[in-house]
Amino acid sequence: LSDFADIFDAVPPGVDELIALSKIVALAQRDAYGIHFDRVVIDTAPTGHTLRLLTFPDFLDRFITRLLVLRSRFDGAANMLGGAQQLLGKVFGGGGGGGGGGAPADAPDEPTAVTKLKEFQAQMQALQALLHDPETTEFCIVTIATALSLNEAERLLLELRREGIAVRRGVVNRLIATDVADGYVTRLANGQRQCLAELDDLAARCAVDVTQVP
């Protein structure tokens, strides 16, 4: 059990970004600074990290549900195993003290850590619902006209659609003017035109409006 308790000593990667994201959304929804925001724009991390971040609320929701079920099972067993109550106090914030007794399983006061877990779970559920609501949230993919970047953009688009997150707009920037006389720049511009043709095809197939930016 002591090895099991060590799991909760470290914060899983990505939780800090997720909490920051939920705080930003909550502040915007409540007009916390006395200002009404019609639109909140969040600049996300690169593709791989963003995809993990967007699926994390669902993972944490399921993880906390199992954690609370596990706690309830150990809570009943703690009546028979006096020493286990002290360990549970460490893991779940039950406040188990000396003497091996601790609070009975049917104590009316819920441990603070369990209450905080439930509050955090509710935040994750609300964030998950917000991300999947096409009326309030959409993802705008920003890319550049290179083969590698377009492959990443296509991967991101398909994964977001699979997750049920709305994608209706895209931006391709750092485009080079086609009237430049320099030979190297001209080759870059020609390569961009080929990538733009592929991007236009992808946008047409996925019903995404693309804005081109120099």
Side-chain angles (χ1 to χ4, degrees):
L1 289 178
S2 60
D3 292 336
F4 174 76
D6 291 339
I7 296 175
F8 304 99
D9 289 338
V11 178
V15 171
D16 49 351
E17 293 98 330
L18 195 62
I19 292 176
L21 179 60
S22 64
K23 291 293 184 183
I24 292 173
V25 171
L27 289 173
Q29 287 180 326
R30 292 198 300 263
D31 297 342
Y33 295 109
I35 303 173
H36 175 71
F37 296 93
D38 293 325
R39 181 171 299 165
V40 177
V41 179
I42 299 174
D43 185 13
T44 63
T47 301
H49 191 79
T50 296
L51 289 175
R52 287 192 297 271
L53 181 66
L54 293 176
T55 58
F56 215 35
D58 180 60
F59 163 75
L60 284 178
D61 181 24
R62 290 182 282 109
F63 176 75
I64 292 173
T65 297
R66 294 170 183 173
L67 185 61
L68 293 174
V69 170
L70 184 63
R71 181 196 180 275
S72 65
R73 292 176 180 174
F74 273 103
D75 204 26
N79 291 325
M80 297 179 291
L81 302 174
Q85 184 67 23
Q86 185 175 0
L87 173 62
L88 290 174
K90 174 186 176 183
V91 178
F92 298 107
D106 57 352
D109 295 331
E110 189 175 70
T112 302
V114 175
T115 301
K116 293 297 184 182
L117 272 178
K118 291 181 178 179
E119 291 175 356
F120 183 66
Q121 183 182 32
Q123 292 178 4
M124 293 302 99
Q125 291 171 346
L127 180 58
Q128 188 77 346
L130 181 67
L131 290 174
H132 290 80
D133 183 359
E135 297 298 323
T136 57
T137 304
E138 71 170 291
F139 206 102
C140 178
I141 298 177
V142 180
T143 187
I144 58 177
T146 66
L148 179 60
S149 296
L150 289 183
N151 286 336
E152 284 293 294
E154 182 176 9
R155 174 193 168 205
L156 179 58
L157 172 60
L158 297 179
E159 286 294 327
L160 290 172
R161 289 284 175 85
R162 188 177 66 85
E163 289 292 330
I165 297 176
V167 182
R168 293 185 286 266
R169 298 174 180 85
V171 175
V172 55
N173 59 18
R174 294 171 56 184
L175 294 177
I176 300 173
T178 57
D179 56 353
V180 179
D182 182 82
Y184 173 71
V185 176
T186 300
R187 288 194 297 272
L188 289 180
N190 291 336
Q192 285 190 343
R193 281 199 297 271
Q194 295 178 6
C195 291
L196 286 175
E198 297 178 13
L199 179 62
D200 289 341
D201 178 67
L202 175 64
R205 286 187 285 112
C206 298
V208 174
D209 294 327
V210 177
T211 300
Q212 298 184 7
V213 180

